[in-house]
Amino acid sequence: MQTNDSDHLAEPGAPQAAPLIVHLIHQLGVGGMENGLINLINHMPPERYRHVIVCLKNDAPFQHRLKRAGVEVICVNKREGKDWGHYLRLFQVLKRLHPDLIHTRNLASLEGQLLAAAAGVRLRIHGEHGRDLSDLQGQNPRYKLLRKVLRPLIGHFIAVSKDLEQWLIGTIGARPARVTHIGNGVDSLQFHPRLGPPAAVGPPGFLCEDAFVIGSVGRMAPIKDHQALIQAFRLLLEEEAEGYSRLRLMIIGDGPCREPCLDLLAQAGMASLAWLPGARDDVPQLLRAMDVFVLPSLSEGSSNAILEAMATGLPVVATAVGGNLDLVQPSWTGTLVPPGAPEPLADAIADYFRIPGLAQRHGGRARRLVLSDYSLLAMADAYLAVYDALSAPPVPRSR
């Protein structure tokens, strides 16, 4: 639905329209940040705020997951490299929409804060959801300078992990009162433990009767380091007596590293023991076929994939980076290992394979933790509180 400036002008005596929020992102592709944005819009009270998603690039496979009617998705068609024209197009979109609030996310959309200020958008929020492979510690001098220069334009920051919250305050110089940590939420009704034997997945004959399935879900990009998981899988096959007969590997997702991972499996003679089908729409069902969930990322914000696995009742083996430390409780709901280290990763997975009942105990606790602390409604309420606080009229000083 196309929005015109006139849509924001109420007739005399007519109810005033709800405030409009523009969510500016790089693209609405498959990813944790994008999934979190869709979940947020779907679970916010529709009468409180209206929403428009503005994408810098034209890629929106997640658009079909929007359940709320009337949410416009606009693309300014940024070309690869430095496209000066997209700044003008974005400015024109913001002037036309005349939103009450803009919410940018991550470095790719940060420059939109300057254009929003120039377009007269009074309320401005920026969210940090994770770092890129080229700047794992957030110390790139050029990017730090950009964030510090634009910091005064931002009314409030949202960090999805405690690590990012501390970095915004300590490195970027944001005032603590202007930074809020809001973790992601998960749909615990859609993602739930399996009842009975696992569903048949993979090619015919992939799963044997007593298969132990090591699984991972996520974008297959270098920062996710799925090659380390494949190396750990090879170590397990070599070390475990029943490795070749029972161990199976399932990696769900697509991206530039999928083909190299398939080549690595073929070269090691493990192709028949692994299934890498690419992106899928039946992730909840596939998670219920796993016995342990593994996230070998080199950097992470607040992982939706970990939360979905926990909601499914799976123990989680993850690298001790970023928001993973907030989600995984070692020796209680899962195990944390160093990044880029296949040997400790293999050892952690082996514990769940060798020790009877350990996966069920850790997975059950993980499910209970999700139910108590990581609901979608709690996440939406936390964002709503930030939006409301920023939108509230200033309290006049007493004389």
Side-chain angles (χ1 to χ4, degrees):
M1 181 183 71
Q2 198 70 17
T3 307
N4 299 311
D5 292 337
S6 59
D7 295 336
H8 302 282
L9 301 176
E11 294 292 331
Q16 188 173 359
L20 176 66
I21 300 176
V22 162
H23 302 271
L24 179 62
I25 60 174
H26 183 238
Q27 59 189 28
L28 198 57
V30 176
M33 182 190 72
E34 296 80 2
N35 186 53
L37 171 58
I38 296 297
N39 283 336
L40 174 63
I41 292 176
N42 285 341
H43 288 83
M44 287 191 72
E47 71 279 2
R48 298 289 294 277
Y49 291 95
R50 294 172 295 138
H51 303 270
V52 171
I53 300 174
V54 177
C55 307
L56 298 180
K57 295 191 68 176
N58 187 20
D59 184 13
F62 263 17
Q63 185 173 353
H64 73 281
R65 296 192 182 183
L66 279 167
K67 299 176 183 176
R68 180 168 165 181
V71 179
E72 186 180 4
V73 178
I74 300 172
C75 182
V76 297
N77 298 309
K78 181 183 182 297
R79 296 190 295 271
E80 291 296 331
K82 203 64 177 177
D83 176 12
W84 297 101
H86 97 277
Y87 293 119
L88 176 59
R89 296 191 292 274
L90 178 56
F91 178 78
Q92 291 171 337
V93 167
L94 293 174
K95 288 291 286 184
R96 175 177 68 82
L97 292 173
H98 192 56
D100 299 274
L101 187 153
I102 187 169
H103 185 162
T104 59
R105 286 166 169 83
N106 278 358
L107 180 67
S109 65
L110 181 60
E111 292 172 315
Q113 291 284 338
L114 180 59
L115 297 173
V121 183
R122 186 175 62 87
L123 306 177
R124 298 180 293 273
I125 293 176
H126 180 69
E128 288 290 346
H129 293 251
R131 304 190 184 103
D132 295 326
L133 183 63
S134 61
D135 189 24
L136 290 178
Q137 305 305 319
Q139 299 298 326
N140 182 294
R142 179 181 164 204
Y143 297 157
K144 277 203 303 184
L145 178 61
L146 176 63
R147 287 183 166 104
K148 289 183 176 182
V149 168
L150 294 180
R151 184 190 63 210
L153 298 177
I154 299 170
H156 205 85
F157 292 90
I158 293 176
V160 298
S161 69
K162 294 177 183 176
D163 170 65
L164 289 169
E165 178 187 26
Q166 295 166 359
W167 169 75
L168 281 170
I169 296 169
T171 301
I172 306 304
R175 289 168 48 189
R178 291 192 174 184
V179 183
T180 300
H181 167 218
I182 303 176
N184 289 331
V186 63
D187 186 342
S188 57
L189 296 179
Q190 182 183 21
F191 294 92
H192 59 82
R194 72 185 185 215
L195 301 173
V201 298
F206 173 66
L207 290 187
C208 56
E209 184 176 350
D210 58 347
F212 184 90
V213 180
I214 303 159
S216 188
V217 178
R219 181 170 47 94
M220 297 195 70
I223 199 167
K224 299 299 183 180
D225 198 18
H226 289 102
Q227 287 90 338
L229 175 54
I230 291 174
Q231 292 166 3
F233 184 61
R234 178 178 57 81
L235 292 173
L236 285 167
L237 291 176
E238 294 172 353
E239 294 171 359
E240 299 299 324
E242 297 180 294
Y244 280 90
S245 62
R246 292 187 57 203
L247 289 173
R248 298 294 183 268
L249 177 64
M250 184 191 309
I251 303 177
I252 310 303
D254 207 350
C257 292
R258 181 169 172 263
E259 288 301 325
C261 283
L262 287 170
D263 292 341
L264 190 60
L265 287 163
Q267 292 166 11
M270 304 184 300
S272 64
L273 306 179
W275 186 49
L276 282 67
R280 300 274 296 206
D281 290 328
D282 56 347
V283 170
Q285 292 83 357
L286 295 175
L287 282 169
R288 288 193 283 273
M290 300 176 187
D291 293 283
V292 61
F293 183 86
V294 182
L295 193 75
S297 305
L298 299 174
S299 179
E300 198 67 52
S302 179
S303 170
N304 285 286
I306 284 182
L307 288 173
E308 291 167 357
M310 291 171 63
T312 308
L314 293 175
V316 174
V317 176
T319 45
V321 297
N324 293 355
L325 285 82
D326 301 337
L327 302 179
V328 180
Q329 298 180 357
S331 302
W332 188 253
T333 66
T335 308
L336 291 172
V337 298
E343 292 84 1
L345 188 61
D347 290 341
I349 298 169
D351 285 343
Y352 292 106
F353 181 60
R354 296 169 183 163
I355 303 174
L358 182 64
Q360 290 77 9
R361 289 195 297 274
H362 284 189
R365 294 167 187 160
R367 168 77 178 177
R368 291 193 292 273
L369 182 62
V370 160
L371 294 176
S372 64
D373 294 358
Y374 295 102
S375 72
L376 285 175
L377 289 179
M379 178 193 72
D381 285 346
Y383 276 94
L384 194 61
V386 173
Y387 294 154
D388 287 348
L390 205 62
S391 305
V395 178
R397 291 184 179 179
S398 57
R399 297 184 63 179

